[in-house]
Amino acid sequence: MDAALELFGVTKRYGDFTAVNDLSFSARRGKILGFLGPNGAGKTSTIRMVLGLVAPTSGTINLLGAPDARSVRERIGFLPEERGLYRRMTPIDAIAFLGGLKGLPTAEGRRRAATMLEAMGLGDAAKRQIRHLSKGMAQKVQLISAIVHEPELVILDEPFSGLDPVNQQTLEQVIRDLAARGATVIFSTHVMQHAERLCDQVVLLAAGSKVFDGSVLEARGHAPRALVLEGALDAADVAALPGVSGVTSEALEDGGTRFTAALGKGAAGQDALRAAFAGGLDIHRFEMREPSLHDAFIALTGGEAGQ
C-alpha cells in the first residue's frame, strides 16, 4: 500500500462549531507532508482524530493499514504542540521510558538515546535533570523521545514553535533524515517557509476546510509572479504598464521607491519592462519575483495566511 495515512470525508463538530469540514487527503509512504494553515484552521483537531484521541463526527481514517491508531501505536511517533516531559528525569531516562511505552526494550532505548543525544549536541546533558535544561534543549529531548523507536509514521504538531533559527535548521535536517530512512513525516505549521524547503506534498487548510492538496510547485502556480521596480517612479507609471495589477509601494532610504506589481495570468514581465524603458521611466533596479508558498496560500484563501 502506497499511502501511510488516508482520510475520507472527515468532519469534526463541537456543538454548532465545525472544526474540520469534509476533509480528504492521503500521505504517501516515505514522503514529507506539510499540513498547513493559520492558527485555528483545524490542524490540531485533525491530528487528534488521526491519533484516535478524539472520534470524528463523520468520515473514516486509515492509518498504516488500520482503521484505529491504537492498534498500530507502536509504529507511530508523535510530537504534540503542547510539550511535556518529566522534569526531574534525565534526558536519557526520559527517552528510554517513553520508548518503552512504544515497545522498545529499556537497554536498547538507553543506547539509542545516548547516540541521538550526542548527535544533537546534547551529549553533556544526557544525565542532567530536564528541569535544568533550556527550552530548546528540552524540545530536542522530546523530539528524540518521539522517534527513538524508529516509527514508520511521524506526526509533528507545530514542531518549529519556540525554536531559535539554529535549532529550526537542526529539526529540518532531522525531518529529512527520517524520510531518507523510509519514514512518512507529517508536520503541521502555520509558517510556510519550513514547508517550502521540506515538503513533497502540502495540504492547505483554512477555516477547517481543505483549499489545496499537491506539491509546493503546484501550489505556487496559484499565485501570480511579481515585477519589482525601484527608482524615481510613481504608482501611476507602474500601474499603466501592460499586464500588471495590484501595485504596492515602499519608500527606500535613498529617496527612491520600490514598487511591487502582480503580473496577470499569462502576462510576460518582459513586456512590462520593455514598456517601462520605452517610456523613459527612471528605473534603478528591477526583478522578476517568483511566488512563494506564502503567496500561494494568500491567493488560495483570499488573504488569510501564516507568517
Side-chain angles (χ1 to χ4, degrees), residues 18 59 73 93 103 117 143 165 169 194 232 247 253 289 301 307:
T18 301
R73 67 183 187 88
D93 289 335
L117 286 165
L143 173 63
Q169 289 182 357
H194 299 299
V247 179
E253 292 182 359
R289 183 177 296 168
T301 63
Q307 298 300 312

Side-chain angles (χ1 to χ4, degrees), residues 162-228:
L163 293 179
D164 61 45
V166 172
N167 283 322
Q168 287 182 14
Q169 289 182 357
T170 299
L171 177 54
E172 287 191 6
Q173 189 56 52
V174 169
I175 290 173
R176 292 187 185 96
D177 292 343
L178 286 166
R181 72 163 175 78
T184 302
V185 182
I186 299 172
F187 70 89
S188 73
T189 185
H190 64 281
V191 182
M192 301 293 153
Q193 292 92 328
H194 299 299
E196 197 156 25
R197 289 190 290 266
L198 290 169
C199 291
D200 302 294
Q201 176 187 357
V202 292
V203 174
L204 306 184
L205 245 60
S209 296
K210 183 177 74 175
V211 296
F212 178 80
D213 181 359
S215 69
V216 171
L217 185 60
E218 290 168 337
R220 286 177 181 152
H222 288 269
R225 294 184 303 153
L227 176 64
V228 181

Side-chain angles (χ1 to χ4, degrees), residues 81-226:
E81 180 179 9
E82 297 298 328
R83 315 289 194 250
L85 291 165
Y86 298 105
R87 291 175 53 78
R88 292 185 180 274
M89 293 183 77
T90 65
I92 199 164
D93 289 335
I95 294 166
F97 171 72
L98 293 170
L101 297 179
K102 294 297 183 75
L104 186 66
T106 300
E108 177 63 12
R110 291 180 66 85
R111 185 192 69 77
R112 292 185 189 179
T115 300
M116 296 172 78
L117 286 165
E118 190 68 39
M120 287 201 184
L122 296 177
D124 292 340
K127 296 185 179 180
R128 286 161 47 191
Q129 288 187 345
I130 290 167
R131 61 181 175 150
H132 297 308
L133 303 183
S134 69
K135 180 179 179 180
M137 294 168 74
Q139 286 188 234
K140 285 184 179 181
V141 173
Q142 186 146 5
L143 173 63
I144 294 170
S145 300
I147 62 176
V148 67
H149 59 297
E150 297 182 351
E152 297 173 46
L153 174 65
V154 179
I155 300 175
L156 311 173
D157 194 3
E158 294 286 354
F160 298 98
S161 177
L163 293 179
D164 61 45
V166 172
N167 283 322
Q168 287 182 14
Q169 289 182 357
T170 299
L171 177 54
E172 287 191 6
Q173 189 56 52
V174 169
I175 290 173
R176 292 187 185 96
D177 292 343
L178 286 166
R181 72 163 175 78
T184 302
V185 182
I186 299 172
F187 70 89
S188 73
T189 185
H190 64 281
V191 182
M192 301 293 153
Q193 292 92 328
H194 299 299
E196 197 156 25
R197 289 190 290 266
L198 290 169
C199 291
D200 302 294
Q201 176 187 357
V202 292
V203 174
L204 306 184
L205 245 60
S209 296
K210 183 177 74 175
V211 296
F212 178 80
D213 181 359
S215 69
V216 171
L217 185 60
E218 290 168 337
R220 286 177 181 152
H222 288 269
R225 294 184 303 153

Side-chain angles (χ1 to χ4, degrees), residues 27 53 60 62 90 107 118 129 139 150 205 229 236 257 263 287:
L53 301 177
T60 59
N62 187 296
T90 65
E118 190 68 39
Q129 288 187 345
Q139 286 188 234
E150 297 182 351
L205 245 60
L229 299 173
T257 307
L263 290 168
E287 174 190 354

